Structures are given as C-alpha cells and as structure tokens.
C-alpha cells in the first residue's frame, strides 16, 4: 500500500505501466536499505580487506523539468564497486525520461547539486543508460557502439518467481515480475536485480584485475508515511541543497 501511494503521487497523469516513472519510485525522502559484503585492495598494495556493509540509498530531492524527472540521490548502489570504509556515500543523479532511466556520477557533491538545480538535457550525453523499458527476457541494451557479442551492455533475464527471495515487508509485496540485468566487460562485471515499482533488490560487482568486489541485497525501505486526505504529511529531515 505504501509503494502504491508513493507511485500515484509521483505521476500527474495516467502513465504506461512500463514507463520509467512507474518502474522506479523517485520520490523525495524515499530510501532503500541494503546489507552485504565488500572487498577492496589495501592502499599499500599488500593485499585486500573485506567487511560487512550496511548501505543506504536515498532520494534527497526530485523534480520535473519538462518531460524529465531528475532525482538527487545519495549512495546509488554502483558506488559499492569502489567501496572504501573511509568514503561516505556520494551524491549522483538518476534521470527518468520516457521509457529510459539514466545515471550520472560526478566528481563531488557540489557538482551533483549544481547539475540537479540547473538541469539541462544536454547532460544526458554523459549519462549511463540503466533501464530501457519495457524489460523482457533476452533483451540487450546500452551498447555504444553496437557489438556482435553481449559485452559492454545490459543483458536482461526474467527471473522465475519461485526462485526469488521475498521482499522486505517495509517495501511492499506482490508488485510484479523481477529482472536480473548483467553488465560484462573485459575488466569487470555488475549484476543488478530490478523489481519494477520498487527499484533495486540486489547488486553485485566484481573486478577481474585489481581485487574489488561487492554484493548487497535489499533489507528494508523507508519513506514518507501515507496520509489521509486533508491531513498534513510527516517528513524526515532533508539534506540542505
């Protein structure tokens, strides 16, 4: 019920069920909590360290610019590919336009905030395509340029319902099929499990050279409490922009 209210408040008109805005709830103050592990190389080159990881991805703010929804997000899960305990989650952008979701990483939080507040569609030229909807089994997207193999693009696998881990109660239930997206290149690979209507339920990364790896799964969700019509909404404190 919480997820449904969040999604209905996100979209001003009746959307396609495969639209980006339905698949990914980019609503301010919505957060996903993950737990897993990470491995990284020691700075002195003498070996590796590893640790249990608790990670939170939060929509700090979101706004519509024309037909584009831009979200300022702290801790997008792909930052775990370069995890270091001393480095806190950074700001980045998730951009929803039509049937596609893009991600943009920046050199620092100030640059991300500036891109959010002064958004221009020209920034999409430097963005990574994360979703090309509707997802379907055997799909391949994101190769630029196109290749004869499945490298350097996202390969889609529809997951069988009987093999899926149940969603945490705080994240909603029974909200459709789940898909595994895998990205493979010569130096590394990444796997993202997407649950339409909710977001990322699992993330895994591995580097094929200098040791670096991470794997986390969704353990909970957090967001503004739905309210009865006419009542004011309680809010968590938001980061200053």
């Amino acid at each position: 019920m919480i997820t449904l209210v969040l999604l209905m408040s996100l979209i001003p008109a009746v959307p396609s069920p495969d639209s980006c805005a339905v698949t990914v709830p980019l609503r301010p103050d919505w957060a996903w909590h993950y737990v897993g592990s990470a491995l990284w190389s020691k700075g002195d080159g003498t070996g590796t360290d590893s640790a249990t990881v608790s990670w939170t991805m939060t929509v700090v703010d979101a706004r519509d610019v024309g037909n584009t929804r831009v979200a300022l997000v702290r801790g997008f899960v792909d930052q775990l590919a370069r995890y270091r305990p001393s480095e806190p989650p950074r700001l980045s952008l998730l951009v929803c336009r039509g049937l596609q979701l893009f991600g943009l990483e920046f050199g620092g939080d100030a640059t991300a905030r500036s891109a959010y507040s002064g958004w221009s569609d020209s920034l999409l030229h430097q963005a990574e395509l994360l979703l090309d909807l509707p997802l379907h089994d055997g799909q391949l997207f994101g190769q630029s340029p196109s290749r004869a193999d499945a490298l350097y693009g996202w390969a889609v696998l529809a997951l069988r319902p009987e093999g899926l881990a149940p969603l945490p109660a705080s994240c909603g239930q029974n909200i459709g099929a789940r898909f595994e997206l895998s990205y493979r290149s010569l130096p590394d690979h990444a796997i993202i499990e997407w649950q339409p209507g909710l977001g990322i339920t699992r993330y895994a990364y591995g580097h094929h050279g200098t040791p670096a790896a991470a794997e986390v799964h969704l353990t909970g969700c957090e967001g503004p409490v739905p309210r009865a019509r006419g009542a004011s909404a309680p809010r968590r404190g938001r980061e200053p922009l």
Side-chain angles (χ1 to χ4, degrees), residues 33 97 111 225:
H33 301 293
R97 188 177 188 188
T111 307
V225 177

Side-chain angles (χ1 to χ4, degrees), residues 106-123:
F106 300 91
D109 284 3
T111 307
R113 293 182 192 277
S114 177
Y116 172 78
S117 60
W119 173 257
S120 167
D121 283 351
S122 63
L123 290 171

